[in-house]
Amino acid sequence: MELCIMIHACKIASAKRITAVIPLFPYSRQDKKDKSRAPITAKLVANMIQKAGCDHLITMDLHASQIQGFFDVPVDKATSIADRLGVDFALFHKERKKANEVSRMVLVGHVRDKIAILVDDMADTCGTLCLAAQHLSEAGVSKVYAIVTHGILSGNALKSVEESALEKLIVTNTLPQTENQAACSKIEVIDIGVVLGEVIRRSHYGESVSKLFHEVPY
């Protein structure tokens, strides 16, 4: 709401262009109906930001790419997982009984004697990550790391990570992580300030943002 108020204030002050920089897009997991009469809150937030007067949105990693379709204004994502890493690929098929609770998880791929890197857009309770790390350990990997864009880390997440088979959980600072690092020795943080700053600069001067998917400005 505060963001919408600031956008509206800039709009009525005759700002030529208004860009909203939102590292973690709110309610991004509510991008579709999971049951009858359930709200699609990500769409509601998108409508509110647009109606307030936003011309351009910059965010990090969206939970689902279709959220970009909720906007009639440009949406730039400042991160992308490329297929050009040249490493073997495996995946987990998971089923949920309810939110934040995985009922079944199946590993597809060969991982024995390899270093596994789990990649996800966000880690909330870390139940999925820790269960995946356990399955990988049982499957014979030598080490397991996790890389996550948004480290929400709610509830018993830090305890679960500390007691899990994960060597490290690497997150960005789209949310403050100082307290989480102090409480869990396995947490490492990547600063996204430089990336977001470069996205803002390129957006302002009309330069290509997608180029950053291949050339990280560090």
Side-chain angles (χ1 to χ4, degrees), residues 73-133:
V73 298
V75 177
D76 284 319
K77 293 167 62 180
T79 61
S80 177
I81 303 300
D83 295 328
R84 59 190 178 88
L85 295 177
V87 295
D88 293 332
F89 176 76
L91 61 86
F92 279 103
H93 172 71
K94 65 181 180 182
E95 298 174 1
R96 292 188 185 274
K97 289 189 293 187
K98 57 183 180 180
N100 290 332
E101 186 175 328
V102 176
S103 61
R104 184 168 174 264
M105 182 177 283
V106 178
L107 174 63
V108 181
H110 301 287
V111 297
R112 181 171 295 278
D113 298 324
K114 298 179 183 294
I115 295 176
I117 302 175
L118 293 164
V119 179
D120 209 347
D121 65 311
M122 63 176 64
D124 189 354
T125 62
C126 292
T128 300
L129 279 180
C130 293
L131 184 58

Side-chain angles (χ1 to χ4, degrees), residues 113-167:
D113 298 324
K114 298 179 183 294
I115 295 176
I117 302 175
L118 293 164
V119 179
D120 209 347
D121 65 311
M122 63 176 64
D124 189 354
T125 62
C126 292
T128 300
L129 279 180
C130 293
L131 184 58
Q134 178 185 329
H135 280 296
L136 287 168
S137 183
E138 293 170 354
V141 301
S142 57
K143 292 181 180 180
V144 187
Y145 296 88
I147 299 177
V148 176
T149 305
H150 308 297
I152 300 173
L153 307 178
S154 66
N156 293 322
L158 296 178
K159 181 181 178 183
S160 298
V161 170
E162 194 69 60
E163 297 175 353
S164 73
L166 289 169
E167 294 284 328

Side-chain angles (χ1 to χ4, degrees), residues 20-32 41-43 45-46 49 56-81 119-123 148-152 172 174 192 196 213:
V21 182
I22 309 175
L24 173 55
F25 188 81
Y27 298 98
S28 61
R29 284 183 290 184
Q30 293 177 246
D31 60 309
K32 60 183 178 297
T41 315
K43 173 61 174 172
V45 173
I49 292 172
H56 191 181
L57 177 74
I58 295 174
T59 186
M60 282 299 287
D61 202 4
L62 289 170
H63 183 63
S65 294
Q66 66 261 26
I67 293 175
Q68 295 178 75
F70 293 167
F71 287 88
D72 296 321
V73 298
V75 177
D76 284 319
K77 293 167 62 180
T79 61
S80 177
I81 303 300
V119 179
D120 209 347
D121 65 311
M122 63 176 64
V148 176
T149 305
H150 308 297
I152 300 173
T172 72
T174 56
I192 59 163
L196 279 182
F213 298 160

